[in-house]
Amino acid sequence: MNNYQKGIGYRYLFETKYYPDNPLKDDLGIIPSPPPYKTYPNASRIKLPKDFYVPQAPLAQTIAIRRSQRKFSPQPLGLEALAFLLWATQGLTSAQGYRAAPSAGALYPIETYLSVHNVKNIPPGIYHFNALEFSLETLKEGFYGNQLAQNALGQNMFKQAAVVFIWTAVILRSMAKYRNRAIRYIFLDAGHICQNLLLAATALKIGACPIGAFFDEEVDKMLGINSQTEMTIYLAVVGKV
Ligand SMILES: Cc1cc2nc3c(=O)[nH]c(=O)nc-3n(C[C@H](O)[C@H](O)[C@H](O)COP(=O)(O)O)c2cc1C
């Protein structure tokens, strides 16, 4: 056996495979299910416009021209554009609670937070997206671009970005059903969400770049979440180019 096969990454993949004759077994005991939606009931709220402009961009062309953008102009992003991006990533698209991006078992373990830097009618600050209300819950005001750049291994595009999407996973939402295999699904869910963001941004003719390199718990601290149960797993910078 090679050393890399003994490491946690390789072992995780092998120990969470489904086999026809060997169901996934574990000793995790009973796993409690957290509520399906997170909310900050005491936070002040910014209602997002539901009648946002929907760009009529051809899908194939949008896919063809999408590129990660890392340089942004100082022009602010409109609130309508932000509303469209949030709808495209995590918006409710059915009365049954299904959303724009698919999710394993429709469990929706991913939460969306924003670091707003330069968006019309929204003071800079950290916000949580409330998908049910289609609103932003204010967690704290202030410009967090410099801190984010530092927490993302010095990637300076955070300082220029109009808004940063920060996706966390409420691990047990998915683990209660899928046990250890849930971790695979959580990252797949996040990929779908981010790709919707990238395509929606391209359709709006604005730039975005996915970010996987960051000091996990430093970002958790910025959001004020409990790293034991909810973890930052993916970011994306967005702005006009
Ligand atoms: C999971 C993931 C993590 C990424 N992390 C970073 C990152 O930390 N910094 C960065 O500048 N680009 C990051 N990228 C963007 C990739 O560098 C980019 O997608 C790749 O170079 C292909 O270019 P394209 O997106 O323009 O097609 C990431 C992309 C993915 C999918």
Side-chain angles (χ1 to χ4, degrees):
M1 196 186 263
N2 292 307
N3 262 350
Y4 63 82
Q5 289 170 309
K6 293 182 204 150
I8 191 167
Y10 225 80
R11 278 192 289 118
Y12 176 77
L13 290 174
F14 274 81
E15 289 176 25
T16 56
K17 284 186 183 185
Y18 279 166
Y19 294 98
D21 53 349
N22 186 11
L24 202 58
K25 286 195 201 98
D26 64 53
D27 52 5
L28 301 177
I30 293 169
I31 301 178
S33 293
Y37 293 97
K38 190 169 179 189
T39 178
Y40 291 82
N42 301 323
S44 69
R45 283 159 155 68
I46 297 174
K47 270 194 173 176
L48 293 160
K50 286 190 177 155
D51 56 347
F52 47 78
Y53 161 76
V54 179
Q56 300 298 312
L59 178 62
Q61 193 198 350
T62 306
I63 292 172
I65 65 173
R66 182 209 60 79
R67 260 310 57 87
S68 291
Q69 304 288 344
R70 299 176 180 84
K71 287 201 165 78
F72 303 107
S73 90
Q75 264 190 303
L77 202 67
L79 181 57
E80 278 220 342
L82 181 61
F84 172 64
L85 297 177
L86 285 162
W87 172 83
T89 54
Q90 286 267 268
L92 296 176
T93 49
S94 86
Q96 292 78 29
Y98 293 108
R99 302 205 195 179
S103 172
L107 293 169
Y108 304 105
I110 309 297
E111 292 288 329
T112 303
Y113 296 80
L114 300 179
S115 178
V116 171
H117 303 163
N118 191 12
V119 179
K120 277 183 212 157
N121 301 317
I122 307 188
I126 305 286
Y127 297 86
H128 171 254
F129 173 56
N130 184 316
L132 269 183
E133 293 177 1
F134 204 56
S135 70
L136 293 178
E137 298 166 328
T138 311
L139 304 189
K140 53 189 180 183
E141 290 195 358
F143 174 68
Y144 287 90
N146 293 332
Q147 206 175 319
L148 269 170
Q150 233 176 25
N151 290 339
L153 286 67
Q155 302 192 68
N156 278 323
M157 65 264 212
F158 282 90
K159 298 179 189 171
Q160 288 181 353
V163 62
V164 179
F165 280 63
I166 304 169
W167 291 293
T168 68
V170 179
I171 304 292
L172 296 190
R173 259 187 218 152
S174 189
M175 246 185 137
K177 177 169 183 187
Y178 294 114
R179 321 294 290 186
N180 280 326
R181 193 171 165 92
I183 309 304
R184 291 166 174 257
Y185 295 157
I186 285 169
F187 287 96
L188 294 172
D189 273 27
H192 293 302
I193 290 168
C194 186
Q195 182 67 3
N196 274 14
L197 173 76
L198 303 177
L199 293 177
T202 307
L204 284 175
K205 300 189 170 58
I206 60 179
C209 180
I211 305 287
F214 52 89
F215 300 124
D216 308 61
E217 294 197 0
E218 297 308 314
V219 181
D220 293 352
K221 269 184 228 154
M222 274 188 58
L223 303 177
I225 58 175
N226 175 356
S227 301
Q228 294 300 310
T229 54
E230 183 179 359
M231 298 170 203
T232 302
I233 60 167
Y234 207 10
L235 314 176
V237 287
V238 178
K240 294 200 176 171
V241 286

